[in-house]
Amino acid sequence: MRVFCVYSHRRYPGRYWRYDYRFSEKRKTMSYGVYPIMMLSAAREAYIAAKRELGEGRDPMAARKAEKQADTMTVKAVAEQWFKHRKPSKTEKHASEVWRRLELDILPTLGNTPVNDLTAAQVRDCIKAIVPVRNFIVGAGTVGQFS
C-alpha cells in the first residue's frame, strides 16, 4: 500500500507532479505542476485536497475543469463588454439596433460558448441561419460585422 500516491513523471522539459486515481471505474491522471516550480509540499497539499474530494464521492478533475470554465469568457460576456465600450460613440437608435440584432441572432446560438472554444464554422453557421429567418443577406452581413 502506497502512503503517498503523487509521483514525479519525467518528461521534457522537467518533472511533473502527477496523481493516478480511479473514479467511476476509469483510471485518471491529474497533473499538479512542474518541479521545481511546484515543490513537494505544495504537491502534497494538492494531493490531499484531491483525495478528500474522492472520499466525498466527487471527481477532482471535474471540479478543476468547472473552476477553469468559470474563469473563461463566453461570447455573451465579450459582446456585453464590446457593446459597453462602443455604445458612447454611437447614437441611441443605432446602439439599440445593434444590441437587438445581437440578442436576436447571435446570443441565443453562441452566447454560452466559451470564446476559446469558438470556431469559424460555428460563426459561419450562425450567420447562415440568419438569412432564411430575416429573408435578406445584407442583414446577415451586418450582424457578421458586429460579431
Side-chain angles (χ1 to χ4, degrees):
M1 179 176 156
R2 282 194 270 180
V3 176
F4 186 59
C5 297
V6 171
Y7 64 94
S8 174
H9 176 73
R10 184 160 232 200
R11 189 171 179 207
Y12 184 79
R15 292 178 173 261
Y16 292 80
W17 295 112
R18 299 174 75 172
Y19 169 51
D20 284 342
Y21 66 96
R22 293 186 77 75
F23 187 79
S24 297
E25 303 298 321
K26 290 185 180 179
R27 178 185 180 269
K28 296 189 175 197
T29 301
M30 187 174 191
S31 179
Y32 295 118
V34 181
Y35 177 82
I37 295 169
M38 179 176 246
M39 300 305 289
L40 177 61
S41 58
R44 278 190 181 135
E45 289 173 14
Y47 160 74
I48 290 168
K51 194 76 167 170
R52 191 175 308 120
E53 284 190 39
L54 275 173
E56 294 170 359
R58 294 184 307 216
D59 184 8
M61 289 290 286
R64 207 156 101 177
K65 282 183 182 178
E67 284 178 22
K68 283 185 181 180
Q69 279 190 330
D71 293 340
T72 60
M73 294 288 288
T74 62
V75 172
K76 184 174 183 175
V78 171
E80 288 170 350
Q81 285 181 355
W82 173 84
F83 184 71
K84 185 177 165 185
H85 173 73
R86 296 282 302 229
K87 187 177 178 182
S89 65
K90 306 296 177 193
T91 64
E92 189 61 37
K93 180 182 176 190
H94 179 73
S96 64
E97 185 178 318
V98 167
W99 187 250
R100 184 179 153 276
R101 285 186 182 176
L102 284 170
E103 279 185 325
L104 292 175
D105 300 327
I106 302 294
L107 297 181
T109 309
L110 300 176
N112 294 328
T113 307
V115 175
N116 296 340
D117 298 340
L118 190 64
T119 64
Q122 287 175 311
V123 175
R124 182 196 63 223
D125 293 342
C126 182
I127 291 174
K128 280 186 176 181
I130 297 169
V131 175
V133 173
R134 300 278 180 255
N135 206 10
F136 64 105
I137 296 173
V138 175
T142 307
V143 170
Q145 292 173 355
F146 301 132
S147 60

